[in-house]
Amino acid sequence: MRIKRNVFIFLVLTILSCNASAQDDDFGLWLDAFANKKIQSSEFSLYGEFFTRNNNRSIDRVSIGLEGDRSVFRFMKIGLGYLLMNKNNTDDYELRHRFYTHAKFKWEVYKLRFSLRERYQVTRYPGYNLESPEYLNYWRNKMKISYEIPSCKIKPVIGVETFVLLNKTDLKRMDEVRYSVSALYPVSGTSNVEFYALLAQMADLHQYILGVSYLIDI
């Protein structure tokens, strides 16, 4: 048990100290909550997000979203969603609309659970001309690995997510990479809380995040 705990702590410290020489560093807090409802082979989620930035001195965005998934195979789900964001853009808030579709895969090996999510998203924002909105198109790839520790309620999770920008450039490029470690704890039979640390690497910014997610099945 001590060895597993030390490995988990080592992963956290490695991610938080990775590439400390970035041109700009920032710190923020992320809070999000998910309410999930299963209906036969489908699942619907209502969720909210609250993100800070500027070393936790200003709000980055407040969002609310709706997502639907449907199982097509035992190991695969497909879905789509919508997210309404109130985004802080140079101290002036603007509404952004995000539409996305995704495929989710999961499989287990011994006590390891692997999950993969492939998402295509389009985000509409005002831009310089309110009558001619701008769009950002991304392909996002997210892999997570969790481990079931015998006789322990806490489940450690590691993850990596990549963002490939598909427009606004002549060539497709990797625009952002996120590394995360987290601990998932069951509060009750229908709810869980997840504490996580995340490093988001961008071309001119490294953002260090501490976050809490609350998930409940209704």
Side-chain angles (χ1 to χ4, degrees):
M1 180 69 69
R2 180 175 296 178
I3 294 176
K4 295 171 183 175
R5 183 183 60 194
N6 291 341
V7 169
F8 182 69
I9 294 174
F10 172 76
L11 289 172
V12 174
L13 295 177
T14 299
I15 289 178
L16 292 180
S17 62
C18 180
N19 291 325
S21 61
Q23 293 181 358
D24 291 301
D25 291 339
D26 191 22
F27 169 75
L29 295 177
W30 289 4
L31 305 175
D32 42 73
F34 296 79
N36 307 315
K37 177 67 175 180
K38 288 186 178 181
I39 303 177
Q40 297 181 351
S41 60
S42 299
E43 183 175 2
F44 300 92
S45 300
L46 178 66
Y47 62 99
E49 301 171 332
F50 178 84
F51 297 169
T52 69
R53 67 180 187 188
N54 191 24
N55 293 316
N56 201 36
R57 291 195 297 265
S58 60
I59 297 174
D60 182 23
R61 82 177 199 218
V62 179
S63 312
I64 185 170
L66 180 65
E67 181 177 301
D69 290 329
R70 183 174 180 83
S71 296
V72 291
F73 299 107
R74 185 175 181 180
F75 61 91
M76 177 182 175
K77 294 180 179 180
I78 58 174
L80 49 84
Y82 167 74
L83 184 66
L84 175 63
M85 299 180 288
N86 191 15
K87 174 72 174 177
N88 185 346
N89 185 18
T90 61
D91 296 324
D92 184 19
Y93 287 90
E94 63 184 24
L95 289 179
R96 295 188 176 189
H97 303 272
R98 175 171 295 171
F99 305 89
Y100 59 88
T101 183
H102 57 237
K104 298 178 180 178
F105 307 86
K106 65 178 181 180
W107 64 97
E108 294 185 18
V109 179
Y110 186 50
K111 295 184 181 298
L112 293 174
R113 169 173 283 190
F114 298 83
S115 63
L116 173 67
R117 188 197 68 195
E118 299 288 348
R119 173 192 284 188
Y120 174 74
Q121 70 181 37
V122 177
T123 304
R124 177 186 181 276
Y125 62 101
Y128 296 105
N129 185 349
L130 296 180
E131 297 180 357
S132 301
E134 300 282 346
Y135 294 88
L136 286 174
N137 301 342
Y138 275 97
W139 184 267
R140 295 171 58 173
N141 173 293
K142 186 175 185 179
M143 168 69 80
K144 298 180 74 172
I145 305 174
S146 61
Y147 180 67
E148 296 280 356
I149 302 176
S151 303
C152 182
K153 290 186 176 181
I154 298 176
K155 181 188 297 184
V157 185
I158 61 174
V160 61
E161 183 174 12
T162 58
F163 292 67
V164 178
L165 182 62
L166 300 179
N167 65 339
K168 299 292 183 182
T169 180
D170 294 333
L171 298 174
K172 299 177 183 178
R173 73 168 192 263
M174 189 79 69
D175 198 52
E176 182 179 347
V177 182
R178 293 177 181 175
Y179 305 93
S180 64
V181 291
S182 61
L184 186 66
Y185 181 80
V187 179
S188 66
T190 58
S191 62
N192 298 277
V193 63
E194 184 175 14
F195 302 92
Y196 59 90
L198 183 147
L199 168 62
Q201 292 183 328
M202 291 158 272
D204 56 353
L205 177 67
H206 285 183
Q207 190 173 27
Y208 300 87
I209 301 296
L210 291 179
V212 181
S213 292
Y214 179 72
L215 306 94
I216 184 170
D217 296 325
I218 57 177

